[in-house]
Amino acid sequence: MIEIDPERLIGNLRKLSEFGRCGTGVHRTAFSDEDLAARNWLSDKLAAAGLGVEMDGFGNVIGRGASRSGPHVLVGSHTDTVPRGGWLDGALGVIYGLELAQAIADVGEPDLARVDVISFQDEEGTYFSCLGSRSFVGELSEADLDAARNAAGERLRDVLARRSMNAGQRLRLDPGQYSAYLEAHIEQGPLLEAEGVPIGIVTGIVGIRRFRVTVSGQADHAGTTPMRMRRDAGRALLTLANRLNACFETDANPNTVWNFGSISFKPGAPNVVPAEAELMVEFRDVDASVLDRFEARLHEVCTPRQGQMPVEVGVTTLANEPPTLMDESIAKAAEHAARSLAAASRRMPSGAGHDAMVIGRHVPTGMIFVPSIGGRSHDISESTHEADIVRGCRVLAATLSQLLN
Amino acid sequence: MIEIDPERLIGNLRKLSEFGRCGTGVHRTAFSDEDLAARNWLSDKLAAAGLGVEMDGFGNVIGRGASRSGPHVLVGSHTDTVPRGGWLDGALGVIYGLELAQAIADVGEPDLARVDVISFQDEEGTYFSCLGSRSFVGELSEADLDAARNAAGERLRDVLARRSMNAGQRLRLDPGQYSAYLEAHIEQGPLLEAEGVPIGIVTGIVGIRRFRVTVSGQADHAGTTPMRMRRDAGRALLTLANRLNACFETDANPNTVWNFGSISFKPGAPNVVPAEAELMVEFRDVDASVLDRFEARLHEVCTPRQGQMPVEVGVTTLANEPPTLMDESIAKAAEHAARSLAAASRRMPSGAGHDAMVIGRHVPTGMIFVPSIGGRSHDISESTHEADIVRGCRVLAATLSQLLN
């Protein structure tokens, strides 16, 4: 039985949140001074818990348990944040890992020292989304590195040079090294709080498909051009968007989500019939067959029959991320762990990307969620009640116990 | 019988188009060097046709027929253009007036000299829409003048000072001075060309109502927020826009037009549920009761029943221009004139604003349209076949003859 220390856990989370503090949140973007200082602090804490610590040329930090008997379990997440982000996104999963290592050290049983703790670099994509975990599993190419730059256009290569960081020196996953990767995270959505369920057992990380729909018509004077003689890109797009939404409502599974996040008409004057119209469409599901169905509907709706609409419609794929399923036996272990602690749990997909999405392609992976207050995240208002934070760590500890046995 | 000279007519139109020539079009915005030079040229031509010419402090040019027996007929339009505009928008109606004055001088019958010709200043609203005609009828306030500025922010007051033009010196309409105002114009739409009808008899100038519809919801992560828990301003607006369009299609008269010219979602990222959404809606008709019906529908659709949509919807009025009906007896005279010349004609509204909209509130007014090639205008591609230009002038001459008798 691994017994966590709630006070130490919360204390370490609070301590970490001091690096880049920003009101009630944290501004600790990847490769910033605050990010690297936090990674050094973490390294010291892991070493003090008896782990063998290494930081690689990207700032990925790993602490390795001392035991050499059999495969280890890797526990972690990331310590970088979005600009003006929250104190728990990423941090929670890493500090849970630290707490588990400290709790194991407290027990003093050498066979339990089969837990490694990791903080991946730049999960949030300040330069390149999931940079650290992609590098760890060998999915980061030199071309990716060449292309990586921040919103201000600064190249990651230049940042590494300025920081004297050596991108050639990398932590790498060895096949068979780990029996499992465990990542705990805040939900970043409103579901657990709304349902009063403290633990989410993640079934998978959704695949994302993102498209740009463009409609081309003709700009005309909106006073002098009779309705029947218009080639109105705007009204055509409004019709298509509503048809799409109706199809999606029919075809969706309970967990499917979709979004029309951006729309524009050009030239965009109130008295000019729109010549061009553009809509961003994305949808997410853990089930690739749902994504296929939605995509087929999109192409169907956006291919109006000859003569049905006096405009041209185009669809461009902007992103196509496949879903990553979580490991079923780990999910069962987490469910069992929650039950043993009298904590209600529910299965749910993760609608956002995580390092677990990358690691899960190579190592059996499990994720648990704790509730986000008001569903908020990626903002300084992000938080989770302390009782939920502690409960989540206990469930992770109980899950780990099963995996180590 | 007033006999026009087709060669002189086309020659004067071509000559005027040299002031500010811009490819196949004209760039002669109000108060530019080219605009003022064209107004001086016009003054000379009107004087040479025996008219008493005056230019006021805005550059409004009037030429008055010599006869003092009874009310005159005022004929004209404007000689300023939009930036990079066409050679006929405005110019046509003014040069028709010049041609009629010249043709009357050719006849040499003193009693016919009851035609005044006018070119109003800044119909296109470089500084203030219909500046000249509004000033002429006394609808331009000092506050309007204070507010008048161009797209670059230059104040009209400053331009007048720089040009040593005296805004206090104004041409003003005297009550009873005119029995009619006649304005010929290019259609600026595709209808006459498409139907093969060379003459449009304008029934009225449409009223315009313009609104901003705003929807407020909540920004959420488009991956982690279940569909049923969203307050999605974007999808709500798409639904409202389509309902509106369906209502408008049902409620419209054959000539009613409406436009959704501009739309936006905020924050506008593909992976964020829109918190704010905005749509520009305008509709036009010569019949105020249609405008009332449309506006009632707008408010109806944008007041969703309690609990029907988890968003707030607001409607702001941006413009409310009443329709101006043209004089029925003048329209009948123009119809008769067209028939007498074996030219087909059709009644139609003007979907765009004209000086006739302003003058028509004070003097019985008639407008005729000639076809626009491809419906184009406000662009250097604007044109009309010479045969149509000549025919239009002949119809205007025959109309005038009836009004003078």
Side-chain angles (χ1 to χ4, degrees):
Chain A
M1 188 66 183
I2 301 164
E3 282 284 2
I4 66 151
D5 177 342
E7 225 167 283
R8 181 173 58 194
L9 167 66
I10 300 294
N12 280 328
L13 275 169
R14 296 277 177 212
K15 177 68 198 168
L16 176 53
S17 77
E18 287 171 19
F19 295 89
R21 179 188 297 280
C22 171
T24 58
V26 174
H27 183 103
R28 194 168 63 225
T29 53
F31 298 101
S32 63
D33 289 348
E34 295 76 16
D35 171 57
L36 297 175
R39 290 175 185 278
N40 283 322
W41 170 82
L42 176 67
S43 300
D44 292 346
K45 297 298 280 187
L46 292 171
L51 303 185
V53 176
E54 202 179 324
M55 190 189 302
D56 77 0
F58 286 133
N60 284 320
V61 172
I62 197 165
R64 295 189 177 87
S67 170
R68 301 212 168 172
S69 65
H72 286 206
V73 172
L74 183 65
V75 182
S77 187
H78 61 96
T79 45
D80 63 287
T81 73
V82 296
R84 297 180 51 81
W87 69 298
L88 294 174
D89 183 349
L92 184 92
V94 173
I95 298 302
Y96 274 12
L98 170 62
E99 177 57 34
L100 295 181
Q102 290 171 323
I104 285 168
D106 292 345
V107 177
E109 211 177 283
D111 187 53
L112 279 181
R114 282 182 286 130
V115 172
D116 293 6
V117 179
I118 197 156
S119 169
F120 293 112
Q121 180 58 290
D122 203 12
E123 191 268 352
E124 298 292 5
T126 294
Y127 292 90
F128 196 90
S129 178
C130 293
L131 174 84
S133 49
R134 287 186 208 271
S135 162
F136 187 63
V137 299
E139 290 184 10
L140 186 76
S141 69
E142 292 300 310
D144 291 337
L145 262 185
D146 289 340
R149 55 185 67 210
N150 67 11
E154 196 184 15
R155 286 158 37 94
L156 177 57
R157 294 275 198 202
D158 295 338
V159 176
L160 291 168
R162 176 159 51 79
R163 294 277 185 198
S164 305
M165 295 174 83
N166 174 10
Q169 184 219 322
R170 303 204 203 168
L171 286 170
R172 288 295 289 270
L173 175 70
D174 287 334
Q177 188 181 5
Y178 294 114
S179 61
Y181 171 61
L182 294 182
E183 182 168 357
H185 207 280
I186 53 167
E187 179 195 350
Q188 303 184 273
L191 199 61
L192 294 176
E193 181 182 71
E195 295 189 349
V197 174
I199 300 291
I201 311 283
V202 177
T203 53
I205 295 170
V206 296
I208 304 178
R209 300 198 193 169
R210 190 175 292 160
F211 305 86
R212 184 190 293 119
V213 176
T214 50
V215 181
S216 298
Q218 181 177 299
D220 275 307
H221 192 298
T224 62
T225 315
M227 297 308 286
R228 66 181 181 284
M229 300 182 76
R230 298 184 181 189
R231 298 180 53 223
D232 185 338
R235 282 192 310 143
L237 184 65
L238 292 174
T239 302
L240 295 178
N242 273 273
R243 277 189 205 155
L244 253 185
N245 191 55
C247 288
F248 289 175
E249 279 175 356
T250 305
D251 287 351
N253 282 352
N255 288 324
T256 315
V257 291
W258 64 96
N259 192 42
F260 305 114
S262 160
I263 190 170
S264 67
F265 292 171
K266 280 181 191 158
N271 57 351
V272 181
V273 177
E276 305 284 337
E278 191 178 295
L279 180 74
M280 297 289 247
V281 180
E282 78 162 40
F283 38 83
R284 308 182 186 212
D285 201 287
V286 286
D287 182 345
S289 75
V290 172
L291 301 177
D292 289 343
R293 203 159 67 213
F294 267 51
E295 183 164 351
R297 287 298 208 172
L298 174 66
H299 289 293
E300 206 177 295
V301 166
C302 292
T303 312
R305 266 169 305 233
Q306 193 78 36
Q308 199 186 22
M309 281 185 168
V311 293
E312 277 130 48
V313 185
V315 175
T316 311
T317 301
L318 299 179
N320 186 346
E321 290 280 341
T324 304
L325 290 181
M326 299 291 95
D327 184 81
E328 178 56 24
S329 65
I330 298 177
K332 284 218 172 77
E335 241 165 11
H336 180 76
R339 207 160 36 237
S340 73
L341 291 159
S345 72
R346 60 129 51 224
R347 297 272 182 134
M348 63 188 296
S350 168
H354 296 291
D355 292 308
M357 173 179 77
V358 177
I359 306 301
R361 295 197 276 262
H362 302 268
V363 176
T365 291
M367 272 198 98
I368 67 165
F369 280 166
V370 297
S372 292
I373 296 174
R376 305 285 86 194
S377 86
H378 281 196
D379 186 79
I380 62 167
S381 64
E382 165 193 296
S383 199
T384 296
H385 295 296
E386 287 193 5
D388 286 333
I389 293 175
V390 171
R391 188 185 293 107
C393 194
R394 287 199 168 116
V395 169
L396 197 68
T399 307
L400 177 67
S401 292
Q402 294 173 68
L403 297 178
L404 290 178
N405 285 337
Chain B
M1 186 67 181
I2 300 165
E3 282 284 2
I4 67 150
D5 177 344
E7 225 165 283
R8 183 174 56 197
L9 167 66
I10 300 295
N12 280 328
L13 275 169
R14 297 276 177 215
K15 178 67 198 169
L16 176 54
S17 77
E18 286 170 20
F19 295 90
R21 178 187 297 284
C22 172
T24 58
V26 175
H27 183 103
R28 195 170 61 227
T29 52
F31 299 99
S32 64
D33 289 348
E34 295 76 14
D35 171 56
L36 298 175
R39 291 175 185 278
N40 283 323
W41 170 84
L42 176 67
S43 300
D44 293 346
K45 297 298 281 188
L46 293 171
L51 303 184
V53 176
E54 202 180 326
M55 189 189 302
D56 76 2
F58 287 133
N60 285 320
V61 173
I62 195 165
R64 295 188 177 89
S67 171
R68 302 213 168 168
S69 63
H72 285 206
V73 172
L74 183 65
V75 182
S77 186
H78 61 96
T79 47
D80 63 288
T81 74
V82 296
R84 298 180 51 81
W87 69 298
L88 296 173
D89 182 347
L92 184 92
V94 173
I95 299 300
Y96 274 12
L98 170 63
E99 177 57 33
L100 295 181
Q102 290 172 323
I104 285 168
D106 292 346
V107 177
E109 211 177 283
D111 187 54
L112 278 181
R114 283 181 285 132
V115 172
D116 293 6
V117 179
I118 198 157
S119 169
F120 292 113
Q121 180 58 291
D122 203 13
E123 190 269 351
E124 297 293 6
T126 294
Y127 294 90
F128 196 90
S129 178
C130 294
L131 174 83
S133 48
R134 287 187 208 270
S135 162
F136 186 63
V137 299
E139 291 184 8
L140 186 77
S141 68
E142 291 300 309
D144 291 337
L145 262 184
D146 290 339
R149 52 186 69 208
N150 68 10
E154 195 183 16
R155 286 158 37 94
L156 177 57
R157 295 273 199 202
D158 296 337
V159 175
L160 291 168
R162 176 159 50 80
R163 295 276 185 198
S164 305
M165 295 172 84
N166 173 9
Q169 185 220 322
R170 304 202 202 168
L171 286 171
R172 288 295 289 273
L173 174 70
D174 287 334
Q177 188 181 6
Y178 295 113
S179 62
Y181 171 61
L182 293 181
E183 182 169 357
H185 208 279
I186 54 168
E187 180 196 349
Q188 304 182 272
L191 199 60
L192 293 175
E193 181 183 72
E195 297 189 347
V197 174
I199 300 292
I201 312 285
V202 177
T203 53
I205 296 171
V206 297
I208 305 179
R209 299 198 193 169
R210 190 175 291 160
F211 304 86
R212 183 190 294 120
V213 176
T214 51
V215 182
S216 297
Q218 181 176 298
D220 275 306
H221 191 299
T224 60
T225 315
M227 298 308 286
R228 69 182 179 283
M229 300 182 75
R230 298 183 181 190
R231 297 180 54 221
D232 184 339
R235 283 192 310 145
L237 184 65
L238 292 173
T239 302
L240 295 178
N242 273 272
R243 277 188 204 158
L244 253 186
N245 191 54
C247 288
F248 289 175
E249 279 175 357
T250 305
D251 287 352
N253 283 351
N255 288 322
T256 316
V257 291
W258 64 94
N259 192 43
F260 305 113
S262 160
I263 191 170
S264 68
F265 292 171
K266 279 179 191 161
N271 57 350
V272 181
V273 177
E276 304 284 337
E278 189 177 298
L279 179 74
M280 296 288 246
V281 180
E282 77 162 40
F283 38 84
R284 306 183 187 213
D285 202 288
V286 287
D287 183 346
S289 74
V290 172
L291 301 177
D292 289 343
R293 203 160 67 213
F294 268 51
E295 183 164 350
R297 286 299 208 174
L298 174 66
H299 289 293
E300 206 177 295
V301 166
C302 292
T303 312
R305 265 169 305 230
Q306 192 79 35
Q308 198 187 25
M309 281 186 166
V311 294
E312 277 130 48
V313 185
V315 176
T316 311
T317 300
L318 300 179
N320 185 347
E321 289 280 341
T324 305
L325 290 181
M326 298 292 95
D327 183 81
E328 179 56 24
S329 65
I330 299 177
K332 283 219 171 79
E335 239 164 13
H336 180 77
R339 206 158 40 237
S340 72
L341 291 160
S345 72
R346 59 124 60 222
R347 297 272 181 133
M348 63 189 296
S350 169
H354 297 290
D355 292 307
M357 174 179 78
V358 177
I359 307 300
R361 295 196 275 262
H362 304 267
V363 176
T365 292
M367 273 199 98
I368 66 165
F369 279 167
V370 297
S372 292
I373 296 174
R376 304 284 87 194
S377 86
H378 282 195
D379 186 80
I380 62 168
S381 64
E382 165 192 297
S383 199
T384 297
H385 295 295
E386 286 192 5
D388 286 332
I389 293 175
V390 170
R391 188 185 293 108
C393 195
R394 286 200 168 115
V395 170
L396 198 67
T399 307
L400 177 67
S401 292
Q402 293 173 68
L403 298 178
L404 291 177
N405 284 335

